Amino acid sequence: ETGVTQSPTHLIKTRGQQVTLRCSSQSGHNTVSWYQQALGQGPQFIFQYYREEENGRGNFPPRFSGLQFPNYSSELNVNALELDDSALYLCASSLRSSGYNEQFFGPGTRLTVL
Amino acid sequence: AQTVTQSQPEMSVQEAETVTLSCTYDTSESNYYLFWYKQPPSRQMILVIRQEAYKQQNATENRFSVNFQKAAKSFSLKISDSQLGDTAMYFCAFTVIQGAQKLVFGQGTRLTINP
């Protein structure tokens, strides 16, 4: 069974640029959630994708957008990067069911905005 | 609003000692789960233990156990016989069993186990 993978591991961008982060969900999972973890903080929920549609969003501006593909992998896109976007971006996959859906995390992408 | 508060930014104990990490949360929901996650320097968020709110019995997983006080909205983690590999950031988290089931995390406690 393949776990959650994310690419790239590290990324450096300059203010105003755009970035795309990628996540491959664990085998058999159909839902992907994205979290932003600023340095020294706990992760914050950005949004979730289920069946290629956004299924819940946290308090993040529209310049944070995403996609989910038919194979359930996902992308997080951030436009007009700001210095405060520097963070660890975590994705988590799960299998949606009627009860509790455990989320399995990837190793994260460290984004630095200069 | 749903919030999770961890009041201990850092803790340090000697190997083999017992340590307790504190967490309080706030919610008006009745159907929820509470979690403790471990994040070592490798950054991978690992689930340590899970507690269903409707269960009165405290969850245990080997050396890890929780003290769940629902009325007080308190959820502490006890690590017994601590090991060097337990050194990590520990996050308390909460989710409501509806909708996206987003995880709401606390600020974290940096735990160091000293040899």
Side-chain angles (χ1 to χ4, degrees):
Chain A
E1 184 177 87
T2 305
V4 180
T5 60
Q6 292 185 243
S7 62
T9 305
H10 296 91
L11 202 51
I12 299 174
K13 292 286 188 178
T14 56
R15 195 170 47 183
Q17 285 189 312
Q18 179 265 341
V19 69
T20 297
L21 310 182
R22 294 177 176 83
C23 172
S24 291
S25 58
Q26 183 168 310
S27 177
H29 287 180
N30 56 15
T31 303
V32 174
S33 302
W34 286 92
Y35 294 83
Q36 180 196 65
Q37 185 178 13
L39 193 62
Q41 304 292 317
Q44 287 193 301
F45 177 74
I46 303 174
F47 45 55
Q48 181 183 89
Y49 277 83
Y50 170 63
R51 290 187 176 178
E52 303 178 50
E53 292 191 358
E54 190 177 285
N55 178 51
R57 187 179 184 93
N59 188 27
F60 282 81
R63 58 189 186 83
F64 285 78
S65 63
L67 284 173
Q68 187 180 33
F69 301 98
N71 66 354
Y72 304 122
S73 65
S74 177
E75 287 183 354
L76 164 65
N77 300 289
V78 187
N79 294 322
L81 283 167
E82 300 177 0
L83 297 180
D84 285 349
D85 296 334
S86 294
L88 179 67
Y89 288 85
L90 298 167
C91 89
S93 73
S94 57
L95 176 61
R96 185 167 176 145
S97 67
S98 59
Y100 161 64
N101 306 317
E102 183 171 349
Q103 296 186 30
F104 294 81
F105 284 84
T109 293
R110 172 76 65 190
L111 172 65
T112 301
V113 182
L114 303 176
Chain B
Q2 296 157 353
T3 59
V4 177
T5 302
Q6 295 179 248
S7 58
Q8 304 153 312
E10 294 189 29
M11 295 191 73
S12 178
V13 298
Q14 297 299 119
E15 192 176 7
E17 288 184 345
T18 294
V19 59
T20 299
L21 309 183
S22 301
C23 171
T24 58
Y25 61 96
D26 189 24
T27 183
S28 57
E29 301 288 340
S30 58
N31 187 15
Y32 57 89
Y33 280 55
L34 292 158
F35 310 89
W36 280 96
Y37 281 90
K38 170 184 177 180
Q39 188 178 42
S42 67
R43 309 181 320 202
Q44 189 105 26
M45 196 72 77
I46 301 164
L47 178 63
V48 174
I49 198 164
R50 176 179 73 233
Q51 173 79 43
E52 295 92 325
Y54 64 86
K55 288 189 176 179
Q56 291 187 337
Q57 186 173 5
N58 289 324
T60 61
E61 286 287 343
N62 301 313
R63 298 182 295 109
F64 299 87
S65 61
V66 299
N67 183 4
F68 175 44
Q69 301 290 325
K70 191 171 184 178
K73 295 181 179 175
S74 169
F75 184 62
S76 62
L77 173 70
K78 185 171 82 170
I79 305 174
S80 303
D81 186 27
S82 57
Q83 301 175 358
L84 298 179
D86 295 334
T87 293
M89 284 292 293
Y90 285 80
F91 292 96
C92 179
F94 160 98
T95 191
V96 176
I97 306 304
Q98 65 183 35
Q101 293 190 20
K102 68 175 185 180
L103 290 164
V104 178
F105 288 87
Q107 300 281 69
T109 296
R110 182 176 300 281
L111 176 65
T112 302
I113 309 300
N114 299 304

